Amino acid sequence: YQEAVTDLVNDFCKAAGEMSETKTGALVVFEREAPLNEVIKSGTILDARSSTELFNGIFFKNSALHDGAVVVKDAKIYAAGCILPLTQNNAISSDLGTRHRAAIGMSEQSDAVVVIVSEETGYISVAVNGKLQRDIKTSNLREILLSNLISNDDKKNKPRKKIRGGSSEK
């Protein structure tokens, strides 16, 4: 599992760097412990092995799936074109658009790690637990994702704990 997650993170970071350079907007949700079933239902199921080309293809401006978010689950590109909840936090900077507000909202309502590539600036940002880190370099993005997606249990090759039921506590 750890190797599959590392490969996916490497594919995504390469794609994020390319999208940043071309100012291609992107929104990717990395599911952790809390299941994102309702968000997944709002999009199109892909259940695909990751590749840099697939991430780039999904967010290409003329792609049918470029609007909305991609959900990454079980080290796969699981769904695309997903709708995320917007943050209700009025203290958020007015220069942040819908993509950033959706990323923050998703990170407030789940334990997911959400990555945004801004189509205006090309900046890469990460939302975790309702907090947004902006203008992240791809080398730092890789570290952030790996540290959040591979638990100490995974590093010791223990099975991940599953959450039962449809909701989880924060």
Side-chain angles (χ1 to χ4, degrees):
Y1 180 78
Q2 183 178 347
E3 187 177 327
V5 171
T6 301
D7 289 347
L8 178 132
V9 166
N10 289 337
D11 290 342
F12 175 69
C13 287
K14 184 174 183 207
E18 292 170 3
M19 289 186 278
S20 175
E21 285 178 23
T22 59
K23 294 186 178 177
T24 301
L27 182 57
V28 179
V29 180
F30 292 85
E31 182 183 83
R32 288 165 67 187
E33 293 289 324
L36 301 176
N37 300 335
E38 292 306 309
V39 170
I40 288 167
K41 283 182 197 170
S42 71
T44 300
I45 302 293
L46 301 177
D47 196 15
R49 208 173 126 242
S50 77
S51 72
T52 299
E53 296 78 13
L54 183 53
F55 278 114
N56 281 325
I58 289 169
F59 290 109
F60 181 71
K61 280 196 182 349
N62 295 327
S63 159
L65 297 173
H66 86 279
D67 278 335
V70 160
V71 174
V72 171
K73 170 182 176 160
D74 298 330
K76 290 183 175 181
I77 299 174
Y78 196 78
C82 298
I83 298 167
L84 304 184
L86 298 181
T87 183
Q88 300 302 308
N89 184 344
N90 293 325
I92 304 264
S93 173
S94 61
D95 68 329
L96 293 177
T98 305
R99 193 173 277 123
H100 288 82
R101 291 176 185 282
I104 295 166
M106 186 78 253
S107 77
E108 289 168 339
Q109 294 186 26
S110 74
D111 66 350
V113 177
V114 189
V115 179
I116 311 99
V117 179
S118 169
E119 65 185 309
E120 283 80 33
T121 64
Y123 289 170
I124 298 170
S125 302
V126 177
V128 181
N129 298 324
K131 305 263 184 282
L132 187 69
Q133 275 183 274
R134 296 176 74 182
D135 196 12
I136 294 171
K137 304 295 170 236
T138 52
S139 58
N140 294 350
L141 176 62
R142 184 178 187 282
E143 290 172 28
I144 291 167
L145 289 173
L146 288 175
S147 69
N148 279 286
L149 298 176
I150 298 176
S151 71
N152 287 330
D153 285 349
D154 290 333
K155 291 175 188 165
K156 295 173 191 163
N157 290 323
K158 291 183 185 172
R160 279 176 29 157
K161 186 175 67 178
K162 296 284 183 200
I163 294 178
R164 293 170 209 237
S167 66
S168 68
E169 294 178 22
K170 286 190 179 180

